[in-house]
Amino acid sequence: KLYEIDYTKFIRTTDPEHEQGVRAIIKKWLDRGDVYKSTYTGWYCVGCEAFVSLSNDAIKDDAGNYLCATHKKPLTERDEEGYFFRLSAYQDQLLEFYENHPDFITPKERLNEVIAFVKSGLKDLSISRKNVTWGIQFPGDPDYTIYVWADALNNYITGIGYGQNTAPAEQLFKKWWPADVQVMAKDIMRFHAVYWPAFLIAANLALPKKLLVHGYVLMGDHKMSKSLGNVYEPENLATQYG
């Protein structure tokens, strides 16, 4: 209220409409043959909520332990069975899309980072967790729930009617999608610039027109963080600048 900011709709990923939409999009992936069950071993970052590459996303501490390059927290090696999305099958299609849409990501250096990452080789993506009660149940397999990025990214479309199968919802979705621009910080660029487009292509849906990727607001040399407590209160900013 202090900043006179308001929203049109507040969405939680526990909303029934969201769950319905997520199941609908994953069923499209299943019907297309883009999801399969397998076992994966890799290095996991709790902060990123994702498996990470040691060569691209990790650093070592003084003791030789691997840390997430973004969160500076230890990585853990995990071995788990689950459902995977065939992200690797979309590598060439994504590169072609970036080439044909050079303004898809702003600023340009972020686009170059994404292209370099995709060219280095995409691995299939784990999209489920076993015996996690709070997630959305995986279609056809009650032992698994849908994992965060295959769930939460879809709120951009479930929040505007996707998957609800009513005339008003379909009209709403047609009005608002594809988005003119999606805004995010650089730490989640890969999820939005690689995973999200592949998810949409696999569901035969339009991609957003542009991604605007910004850096961090820093306090000293570090990203502002609630956990570190190195924050500047927005109330003070409003008092100083209006």
Side-chain angles (χ1 to χ4, degrees):
K1 288 181 181 178
L2 177 64
Y3 278 86
E4 298 179 14
I5 296 171
D6 204 352
Y7 48 80
T8 308
K9 176 173 179 174
F10 185 84
I11 179 174
R12 295 183 185 276
T13 54
T14 50
D15 291 348
E17 297 86 358
H18 175 72
E19 293 192 17
Q20 185 177 345
V22 169
R23 287 201 182 95
I25 200 168
I26 289 186
K27 184 161 189 320
K28 280 191 172 184
W29 302 345
L30 286 163
D31 292 344
R32 188 167 169 149
D34 278 336
V35 173
Y36 63 94
K37 198 172 188 181
S38 185
T39 302
Y40 183 82
T41 301
W43 292 89
Y44 186 84
C45 171
V46 174
C48 292
E49 296 186 281
F51 287 98
V52 300
S53 161
L54 294 185
S55 57
N56 294 326
D57 307 306
I59 57 176
K60 281 188 176 182
D61 62 14
D62 294 336
N65 300 310
Y66 286 109
L67 309 178
C68 170
T70 299
H71 294 94
K72 310 298 188 292
K73 297 287 179 67
L75 299 174
T76 56
E77 195 168 16
R78 290 192 179 182
D79 183 359
E80 60 184 50
E81 184 183 48
Y83 289 92
F84 290 78
F85 175 79
R86 294 186 195 276
L87 185 65
S88 59
Y90 290 91
Q91 180 168 324
D92 292 343
Q93 209 165 337
L94 287 170
L95 290 172
E96 183 181 355
F97 176 79
Y98 304 143
E99 184 177 351
N100 293 335
H101 300 82
D103 297 324
F104 178 57
I105 300 173
T106 299
K108 186 71 74 177
E109 59 264 28
R110 298 296 177 204
L111 173 63
N112 294 336
E113 287 176 29
V114 168
I115 291 173
F117 172 74
V118 175
K119 281 185 174 178
S120 72
L122 293 180
K123 293 189 171 109
D124 292 348
L125 191 65
S126 172
I127 60 166
S128 71
R129 287 292 178 270
K130 193 171 187 178
N131 301 322
V132 176
T133 56
W134 49 261
I136 299 173
Q137 191 179 99
F138 202 89
D141 195 337
D143 291 336
Y144 289 86
T145 50
I146 299 161
Y147 185 53
V148 59
W149 291 107
D151 170 354
L153 281 168
N154 289 303
N155 74 58
Y156 296 120
I157 56 176
T158 63
I160 50 172
Y162 177 81
Q164 292 176 36
N165 301 320
T166 67
E170 287 174 7
Q171 280 186 321
L172 192 68
F173 182 66
K174 188 175 180 181
K175 176 181 178 181
W176 291 112
W177 194 260
D180 290 319
V181 61
Q182 292 191 258
V183 185
M184 72 217 59
K186 62 183 181 178
D187 57 337
I188 55 172
M189 174 178 70
R190 186 179 303 169
F191 302 100
H192 288 77
V194 181
Y195 304 163
W196 180 224
F199 290 167
L200 291 167
I201 293 169
N204 199 29
L205 293 170
L207 275 58
K209 297 174 186 176
K210 184 184 283 290
L211 305 181
L212 175 60
V213 183
H214 59 77
Y216 301 137
V217 180
L218 301 178
M219 179 66 78
D221 294 328
H222 298 283
K223 173 185 174 184
M224 282 196 192
S225 161
K226 293 189 295 292
S227 56
L228 291 177
N230 61 336
V231 298
Y232 193 82
E233 296 296 340
E235 291 86 352
N236 297 338
L237 278 174
T239 301
Q240 189 169 348
Y241 296 104

